[in-house]
Amino acid sequence: MPGKRVTLADVARRAGLSTTAASMILNGRPDTRLSREAHDRVIAAAAELDYRPNVAARGLRTDRTNTIGFVSDVVATTRFASGLIKGALEEAHASGHVLLVLETEGDPRRESEAIEAVLDRQVDGIVFATMRARDLFIPPLRQRVPVVLLNATNESYADSVLPDEHTGGRRAVDLLVDAGFGDGILLLGHNAVKEEGLFRSTTVARRIAGIRERMNEHGLQFIDEESIWLWEPEHGYTGMKRMLKKHGRSITAVLALNDRLAFGASQAMAEAGISIPADISVVSFDNDEIASYMRPGLTTVALPHEEMGRVAVRMMLDPATSGEQLVDMPVVQRESIRER
Amino acid sequence: MPGKRVTLADVARRAGLSTTAASMILNGRPDTRLSREAHDRVIAAAAELDYRPNVAARGLRTDRTNTIGFVSDVVATTRFASGLIKGALEEAHASGHVLLVLETEGDPRRESEAIEAVLDRQVDGIVFATMRARDLFIPPLRQRVPVVLLNATNESYADSVLPDEHTGGRRAVDLLVDAGFGDGILLLGHNAVKEEGLFRSTTVARRIAGIRERMNEHGLQFIDEESIWLWEPEHGYTGMKRMLKKHGRSITAVLALNDRLAFGASQAMAEAGISIPADISVVSFDNDEIASYMRPGLTTVALPHEEMGRVAVRMMLDPATSGEQLVDMPVVQRESIRER
DNA sequence: GCGACCTGCTAAAACCATTTAGCACTAACT
DNA sequence: AGTTAGTGCTAAATGGTTTTAGCAGGTCGC
């Protein structure tokens, strides 16, 4: 690690040419009329000196830094949604970009700060990500940069990436119906009557809509719907317990609105001596880590976080794609549904 | 979001002073002799124009960008270790810095690329993080920047942040001993005889050493040690199943080397009709998400990922602290240990 | 023999800040 | 009166790149 950086001037000097020539050659400008010979000399000199252009200096001139701002509420921070960042990192890497990651905890002041911070660093664009898909407040930007919303929506910005929850919801229903279930399916997490008019995040609303639509198409009704506001295991546990007390063995299958609820429900079933899938089949959403830890494994409609992250960055870099991109939610087949 | 950036020259012009004066004033240089009046005018102009210095331009001159490179194998990527990044982000934010996050998947070529990429962007320093603490290979750096290893070690770099596994190991033993256990404790995950000479990561080795040391001090022996190479739930399940068959009810407590093993073990126990903590007490390590999902909750010695991330960035910014920083592993008390 | 055009290259400006060196002027001291 | 010291400020260099404008010399056409 010797002292000074190697600069373009060093390369030019070594090649016996001007920095202009060196710059043009190294950037592969097509219209230039520099000789073959000059090309060779510059390339050689750059290689010998192990020259790396200074991104800051270049950015100053060109306004492009190959750096993307990734501003999120609690994405990196949260085990759950870290796939978003993983996908974004991958895609950024693939196109020679780098991610400046900031987290705001959803605090509007920190959000403004974060935006300033990334704009100060001349990012080529900003991805705003949220852990739970929602309408995101975005303070006015003092500069015009491409913006993509990841797992979020905002009426001033059209470009967003969301999971295709509607189709996902339909798929979950089909998993049960295809396995022969019809009566006795319990919906765990949401009750249409009780939660009438209450706000659920954009995507969850679509998930539920897809479920109901497909149930209707099959001419099916849930045996019951248990409203659960927080979707953590303990709430699934208590909710399921209540339902078991109420309906006993007439419950044949559980459609849980996420894996953590399903996990909690499975604990309640285990306590009641009910086994999955022999007695009750279970299907759910997210493909959270817990789904693979369960025994038997939980069949679930996956939240395609990584792919979403990739799509967001791709969209950010390609001006052609725009609008709302829906990413497919694939079924992850495990052993929690019994064929009837 | 109007067209052009506001530059220092704009501010200076508006204040009727030179850019030199504006720069000095805005940077609060102490030795300057500019009038009170000039100060006020510049400050006012900057505020009115909403001036933000261009970090790239400044960095070009000062070599400081208030940006830190966070280069990791699979930290952001992995649900498990994302606390490391969270802590680092927090601490960076607290000191007005920003994190450039790159992931290498542990691939040496990508690692070199990542280093080049962050150096190209003139970072003020680099944090190298790994998901599982290990000796990390670091390619030679072409420039002299501060380097801190997070959850990793490397013989050329002294500054590193690690969990205090030795003490953590001792604590796990004490949790059981204090609750009245002595005979019948099973060590799940490692067998001294079988794994003799095999490599376990640096920190896991210390964890195990701490456990053994404390057992010896108490004059205790494990009833058995089950060697398990991969520490996922399924391995805990099969391992525990084997042990139950071998020792039956003479196992009184399980000391599992991580929470996922413990979770797997709990599944085996549930199948055998053994309940935690009534029949067998369990203690473990990591404070993985799964530990709080279990029912009853799993008492565990936490991996202090967030604090480690914070310490790493603090260390990076403060030349005074150096060497190997051990971060305390706190006990997270839940309900998996019965008082005897 | 003269303008037009091509070829191969470079000087200098621009990007936006920080920093060094120093100017012009007043006040104080010998 | 002449030197020194202090005050309040600025011109210009600097950092490393890209880009615009253009120079010098040759060839071609007529």
Side-chain angles (χ1 to χ4, degrees):
Chain A
M1 60 201 95
K4 298 298 299 169
R5 273 192 87 103
V6 174
T7 75
L8 185 62
D10 297 330
V11 174
R13 200 169 314 123
R14 177 158 195 143
L17 289 165
S18 67
T19 59
T20 308
S23 171
M24 288 173 150
I25 290 169
L26 291 177
N27 289 305
R29 285 261 293 246
D31 53 336
T32 192
R33 297 177 316 238
L34 294 157
S35 66
R36 181 99 193 79
E37 229 261 312
H39 272 81
D40 295 347
R41 287 218 306 278
V42 168
I43 305 270
E48 285 159 24
L49 297 176
D50 193 18
Y51 168 70
R52 307 265 322 178
N54 181 321
V55 177
R58 170 183 288 170
L60 204 53
R61 192 73 241 266
T62 60
D63 245 18
R64 309 211 67 254
T65 53
N66 280 12
T67 304
I68 297 172
F70 188 98
V71 175
S72 58
D73 50 2
V74 286
V75 168
T77 275
T78 270
R79 289 157 148 77
F80 180 58
S82 58
L84 291 175
I85 218 179
K86 167 166 185 169
L89 281 168
E90 262 178 23
E91 187 67 26
H93 171 75
S95 63
H97 288 248
V98 135
L99 240 50
L100 213 45
V101 177
L102 303 216
E103 294 240 320
T104 65
E105 316 259 320
D107 173 358
R109 207 173 61 227
R110 285 191 62 175
E111 220 168 271
S112 299
E113 286 175 18
I115 291 175
E116 296 300 320
V118 298
L119 289 180
D120 288 350
R121 286 166 180 80
Q122 314 240 97
V123 292
D124 296 343
I126 307 183
V127 173
F128 288 99
T130 59
M131 186 186 67
R132 293 195 195 303
R134 61 176 168 102
D135 266 325
L136 180 63
F137 164 75
I138 300 181
L141 268 52
R142 76 177 132 83
Q143 247 151 95
R144 166 163 260 98
V145 289
V147 163
V148 171
L149 302 178
L150 178 51
N151 210 28
T153 54
N154 175 295
E155 51 177 31
S156 325
Y157 296 93
D159 292 352
S160 62
V161 178
L162 295 169
D164 185 358
E165 292 275 6
H166 190 85
T167 309
R170 294 172 56 93
R171 274 188 194 152
V173 172
D174 280 341
L175 280 168
L176 292 177
V177 172
D178 291 352
F181 291 91
D183 294 336
I185 303 178
L186 169 70
L187 179 64
L188 198 63
H190 188 271
N191 183 304
V193 179
K194 272 196 196 156
E195 301 189 24
E196 176 76 30
L198 288 176
F199 174 80
R200 284 280 189 188
S201 80
T202 326
T203 54
V204 164
R206 294 185 192 177
R207 179 181 295 186
I208 294 168
I211 291 171
R212 297 207 188 283
E213 180 182 277
R214 195 61 180 147
M215 285 294 278
N216 283 337
E217 288 176 10
H218 286 301
L220 293 175
Q221 296 265 350
F222 287 113
I223 183 176
D224 204 342
E225 302 184 4
E226 172 71 350
S227 176
I228 299 178
W229 192 244
L230 293 172
W231 290 358
E232 295 302 322
E234 50 178 307
H235 312 110
Y237 173 81
T238 52
M240 189 66 204
K241 214 158 172 177
R242 216 163 22 237
M243 287 293 105
L244 282 174
K245 183 173 271 172
K246 186 163 164 197
H247 299 284
R249 299 293 175 134
S250 37
I251 298 173
T252 59
V254 172
L255 177 43
L257 282 174
N258 82 0
D259 293 339
R260 298 200 297 286
L261 282 180
F263 179 68
S266 80
Q267 292 173 319
M269 295 186 227
E271 267 186 22
I274 293 168
S275 80
I276 302 172
D279 305 318
I280 295 184
S281 289
V282 179
V283 67
S284 167
F285 291 89
D286 291 5
N287 196 31
D288 206 339
E289 206 148 52
I290 188 79
S292 70
Y293 290 171
M294 283 171 62
R295 175 165 281 272
L298 179 60
T299 293
T300 187
V301 182
L303 231 26
H305 280 144
E306 293 189 23
E307 178 64 12
M308 289 169 65
R310 276 193 292 268
V311 170
V313 168
R314 218 175 292 147
M315 200 167 174
M316 155 102 275
L317 296 174
D318 172 17
T321 60
S322 67
E324 187 178 281
Q325 299 280 324
L326 295 182
V327 181
D328 191 60
M329 295 181 69
V331 169
V332 178
Q333 196 87 50
R334 294 202 182 86
E335 304 85 34
S336 62
I337 299 180
R338 178 169 68 104
E339 289 291 329
R340 290 181 111 186
Chain B
M1 62 198 94
K4 296 300 299 169
R5 272 194 86 104
V6 174
T7 73
L8 185 63
D10 298 330
V11 173
R13 199 169 316 123
R14 176 161 196 137
L17 288 166
S18 68
T19 60
T20 308
S23 170
M24 286 173 153
I25 289 170
L26 291 177
N27 289 305
R29 284 259 295 244
D31 53 338
T32 194
R33 299 178 314 239
L34 294 158
S35 67
R36 180 103 192 74
E37 230 262 310
H39 272 82
D40 295 347
R41 289 219 306 280
V42 168
I43 305 271
E48 285 158 24
L49 297 176
D50 192 19
Y51 168 71
R52 306 267 321 178
N54 181 320
V55 177
R58 170 183 286 169
L60 207 51
R61 193 74 238 269
T62 61
D63 248 19
R64 310 211 68 253
T65 53
N66 280 14
T67 304
I68 297 172
F70 188 97
V71 176
S72 58
D73 49 3
V74 286
V75 168
T77 276
T78 272
R79 289 155 149 74
F80 180 59
S82 57
L84 290 175
I85 217 179
K86 167 165 185 170
L89 281 168
E90 263 178 22
E91 186 67 25
H93 171 76
S95 63
H97 287 247
V98 134
L99 239 50
L100 211 48
V101 177
L102 302 218
E103 294 239 322
T104 65
E105 316 258 318
D107 173 358
R109 207 175 61 225
R110 285 192 62 174
E111 218 167 273
S112 300
E113 285 175 20
I115 291 176
E116 296 299 320
V118 297
L119 289 180
D120 287 350
R121 286 167 180 80
Q122 314 240 98
V123 293
D124 296 343
I126 307 181
V127 173
F128 289 98
T130 58
M131 186 186 67
R132 293 194 196 304
R134 61 176 167 101
D135 267 323
L136 181 63
F137 164 74
I138 300 181
L141 269 49
R142 77 176 132 82
Q143 250 153 91
R144 164 164 264 99
V145 289
V147 164
V148 171
L149 302 178
L150 178 51
N151 210 28
T153 53
N154 174 295
E155 51 175 34
S156 325
Y157 296 93
D159 293 351
S160 63
V161 178
L162 295 170
D164 186 357
E165 293 274 9
H166 191 85
T167 308
R170 295 174 56 94
R171 277 189 190 150
V173 171
D174 280 341
L175 280 167
L176 292 177
V177 172
D178 291 352
F181 292 90
D183 293 336
I185 303 178
L186 170 69
L187 179 64
L188 199 62
H190 188 271
N191 183 302
V193 179
K194 270 196 195 153
E195 300 189 22
E196 175 75 32
L198 288 177
F199 173 80
R200 285 277 190 192
S201 80
T202 326
T203 54
V204 164
R206 295 187 192 174
R207 178 181 296 184
I208 293 168
I211 291 171
R212 297 207 188 282
E213 181 182 274
R214 195 63 181 145
M215 286 292 279
N216 282 338
E217 288 175 11
H218 285 300
L220 293 175
Q221 296 267 348
F222 288 112
I223 184 176
D224 205 342
E225 303 182 6
E226 173 72 349
S227 175
I228 300 178
W229 192 242
L230 294 171
W231 290 358
E232 296 303 322
E234 51 180 305
H235 312 110
Y237 173 81
T238 50
M240 188 67 203
K241 214 160 171 177
R242 215 165 20 238
M243 287 294 104
L244 282 174
K245 181 173 270 169
K246 186 164 163 195
H247 300 283
R249 299 292 176 136
S250 35
I251 298 173
T252 60
V254 172
L255 176 43
L257 283 174
N258 83 357
D259 293 339
R260 298 200 298 289
L261 281 180
F263 178 69
S266 80
Q267 293 173 318
M269 294 187 228
E271 267 185 24
I274 293 169
S275 81
I276 302 173
D279 304 320
I280 296 185
S281 290
V282 179
V283 67
S284 167
F285 292 89
D286 291 4
N287 195 31
D288 207 340
E289 207 148 52
I290 189 78
S292 71
Y293 291 170
M294 282 171 62
R295 177 165 279 272
L298 179 60
T299 293
T300 187
V301 182
L303 232 26
H305 280 142
E306 294 189 21
E307 178 64 13
M308 288 169 66
R310 277 193 292 268
V311 170
V313 168
R314 217 174 295 148
M315 200 168 174
M316 152 105 274
L317 296 175
D318 172 17
T321 59
S322 68
E324 187 178 279
Q325 301 279 325
L326 294 183
V327 181
D328 191 59
M329 295 181 71
V331 169
V332 178
Q333 197 85 49
R334 294 203 182 84
E335 305 84 34
S336 62
I337 299 180
R338 177 169 70 104
E339 288 292 327
R340 295 182 109 181

